[in-house]
Amino acid sequence: DLPGALEVLRAMLARKPPVQPNVRTLNTLLRGCLLVGAPTEGESLLTRSEKEWGSPPDDSSYEYAITLLCQTLKVTRAAALIEALRRNVARAAGAGTSPPAGS
């Protein structure tokens, strides 16, 4: 029930103080998007996770998002996401930090 899960997310964020979602929350929601074929919602969640929630996506997050985009024939957007992930890994390697596990 993706709409129900998204309503729980809205309720979490509406609390005072808000309950900030973490990467596990993100990945659970992305799996829901994958199951029902909701690429727009999946992309939005991926973007919001880092910008609004302060919880950067992990390898699983990218895997779910890329699979979702390919499943719904959004191959150009999937390719752009793969390229962004490559740039992030290269930037992390150049900065002397370890890239995410499995990259």
Side-chain angles (χ1 to χ4, degrees):
D1 179 21
L2 185 60
L6 293 172
E7 184 55 39
V8 170
L9 175 64
R10 280 188 281 281
M12 288 170 57
L13 294 169
R15 289 187 63 149
K16 301 292 182 212
V19 177
Q20 291 300 114
N22 60 22
V23 72
R24 178 173 260 172
T25 307
L26 170 64
N27 289 343
T28 299
L29 292 168
L30 286 173
R31 280 193 307 272
C33 291
L34 183 59
L35 288 172
V36 301
T40 302
E41 192 61 53
E43 284 185 288
S44 172
L45 290 165
L46 192 68
T47 300
R48 291 174 62 201
S49 69
E50 192 158 18
K51 290 183 178 179
E52 294 177 25
W53 310 336
S55 181
D58 66 4
D59 289 348
S60 293
S61 309
Y62 285 107
E63 178 183 352
Y64 294 135
I66 291 165
T67 301
L68 172 62
L69 291 169
C70 289
Q71 173 184 297
T72 56
L73 304 178
K74 312 284 188 210
V75 179
T76 302
R77 293 204 316 243
L81 189 53
I82 292 168
E83 187 54 37
L85 180 57
R86 284 187 181 147
R87 282 193 306 273
N88 289 345
V89 169
R91 190 176 323 121
T97 60
S98 300
S103 297

